[in-house]
Amino acid sequence: MGWVYKRGRSWGVRQLRYFRLHKGVLSNHVDEYADATWSVTVSECSVTVNAERGNIDIATGGPSIRIHPIGTVEFQSWARALTTAAAVSSTSASANAKRPADVVAGPESNLISTKTVLTGLLNGKKLLS
């Protein structure tokens, strides 16, 4: 779980969102305390990792999800977690997962604190190479 950029519905503008991946279900949140605005069972999706562009696409059968994790370590963590979840058939995944209204995605653990990410973003600092 953690903060990532997602491709927005309007003109594809990137939006910073909090994502959770729990028991194979990926969910999108406006902040880390908000209820999910949508969720999707990753084992029912196709995951494509583009390290060159720094994004991960999740094909849901409906609107696709594109995420841009912040930093190299976070990108690698999300890529590993999502590809693993997509490859595993999960019977414990939520049957009530809602389809995303727009796009985009996070790993099981966040290796950089939310406060550090937000402080760095607000101050325009490069957090990781």
Side-chain angles (χ1 to χ4, degrees):
M1 65 183 92
W3 291 96
V4 299
Y5 283 101
K6 73 173 194 78
R7 184 179 62 200
R9 198 175 341 163
S10 302
W11 300 321
V13 175
R14 289 185 186 183
Q15 299 171 330
L16 188 62
R17 292 291 186 262
Y18 193 79
F19 276 78
R20 286 192 178 105
L21 179 61
H22 182 70
K23 295 185 179 180
V25 176
L26 179 67
S27 57
N28 174 62
H29 307 261
V30 175
D31 63 51
E32 56 193 302
Y33 305 105
D35 290 336
T37 56
W38 56 259
S39 61
V40 64
T41 303
V42 180
S43 64
E44 298 171 359
C45 301
S46 167
V47 175
T48 304
V49 176
N50 186 334
E52 189 174 292
R53 291 184 174 253
N55 65 40
I56 303 167
D57 291 328
I58 301 133
T60 66
S64 66
I65 299 165
R66 174 169 288 168
I67 63 166
H68 303 268
I70 302 168
T72 303
V73 173
E74 287 76 12
F75 177 84
Q76 292 169 348
S77 294
W78 277 107
R80 185 173 39 256
L82 288 167
T83 54
T84 300
V88 176
S89 176
S90 175
T91 57
S92 63
S94 171
N96 297 323
K98 298 181 276 183
R99 287 289 190 216
D102 50 356
V103 290
V104 203
E108 293 294 333
S109 64
N110 189 12
L111 301 176
I112 187 168
S113 76
T114 301
K115 182 177 180 182
T116 301
V117 170
L118 292 176
T119 301
L121 290 172
L122 292 172
N123 294 329
K125 293 180 182 175
K126 185 175 181 179
L127 300 174
L128 298 170
S129 59

